């Protein structure tokens, strides 16, 4: 997974450096916020302000109205939000904040459920469903299973 920035397509903001002095929003308790408060704090320190909002719908309303100039969020959520709104009005910057890997965990000793899930995932890779889902959400570059 990646944490990225969303901006208005006509904003003139093209890189992370262009966010210096700008107002950026992100969702409270999000991975993007954790990244900007952690290993990537120097990026956040360059902003005019970093504001936490309750949800990304609020952030998109603020971006659309000009109350903020960028939103930091997970790429999957970003793709969904952009697709479900006015297509072409928002873009994802090529530069990303950070990346992370997800895994599926099980209670220690629950090999039966682990094996069922693993088998199903392998079946989805084999029959193409896994790639189909990754493509639907524009996450082909984010998945490692089947690679």
């Amino acid at each position: 997974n990646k944490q990225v920035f969303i901006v208005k397509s006509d904003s003139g903001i093209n890189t992370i450096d262009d966010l210096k002095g700008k107002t950026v929003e992100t969702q409270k308790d999000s991975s993007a916020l954790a990244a900007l408060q952690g290993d990537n704090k120097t990026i956040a320190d360059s902003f005019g302000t970093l504001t936490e909002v309750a949800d990304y719908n609020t952030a998109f309303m603020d971006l659309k109205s000009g109350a903020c100039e960028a939103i930091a969020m997970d790429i999957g959520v970003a793709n969904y939000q952009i697709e479900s709104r006015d297509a072409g009005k928002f873009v994802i910057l090529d530069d990303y904040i950070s990346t992370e890997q997800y895994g599926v965990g099980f209670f220690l000793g629950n090999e039966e459920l682990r094996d069922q899930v693993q088998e199903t995932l392998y079946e989805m890779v084999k029959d193409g469903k896994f790639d189909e889902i990754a493509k639907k959400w524009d996450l082909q570059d984010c998945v490692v299973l089947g690679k």
Side-chain angles (χ1 to χ4, degrees):
N1 192 33
K2 295 178 189 174
Q3 285 71 46
V4 297
F5 291 105
I6 310 305
V7 297
K8 284 184 178 179
S9 42
D10 62 356
S11 68
I13 298 170
N14 300 303
T15 68
I16 288 177
D17 287 340
D18 295 337
L19 293 172
K20 289 181 182 170
K22 305 290 190 215
T23 301
V24 178
E25 290 187 356
T26 192
Q27 184 172 294
K28 180 181 175 188
D29 297 325
S30 66
S31 294
L33 178 61
L36 290 169
Q37 290 178 331
D39 292 342
N40 294 287
K41 189 174 180 335
T42 55
I43 295 171
D45 288 345
S46 74
F47 303 155
T49 59
L50 175 62
T51 303
E52 296 176 46
V53 293
D55 56 67
Y56 286 124
N57 287 328
T58 300
F60 267 92
M61 286 189 308
D62 290 347
L63 183 59
K64 190 174 182 178
S65 73
C68 75
E69 295 155 292
I71 306 169
M73 62 174 43
D74 288 356
I75 192 165
V77 177
N79 285 325
Y80 171 77
Q81 290 283 351
I82 289 171
E83 186 177 308
S84 66
R85 295 174 187 281
D86 300 326
K89 293 199 177 199
F90 305 103
V91 295
I92 299 171
L93 297 185
D94 289 336
D95 300 332
Y96 54 87
I97 304 164
S98 66
T99 62
E100 60 190 0
Q101 292 184 343
Y102 293 133
V104 180
F106 305 92
F107 281 113
L108 187 61
N110 193 346
E111 288 86 9
E112 182 180 349
L113 179 58
R114 178 203 63 199
D115 293 347
Q116 278 182 307
V117 170
Q118 190 66 54
E119 183 180 324
T120 300
L121 288 171
Y122 284 147
E123 287 172 7
M124 291 173 68
V125 168
K126 188 175 179 180
D127 71 12
K129 190 67 174 175
F130 191 85
D131 285 335
E132 181 184 322
I133 293 168
K135 285 178 187 172
K136 177 182 178 181
W137 298 103
D138 197 22
L139 297 173
Q140 307 90 298
D141 295 337
C142 299
V143 297
V144 295
L145 191 62
K147 304 287 180 190

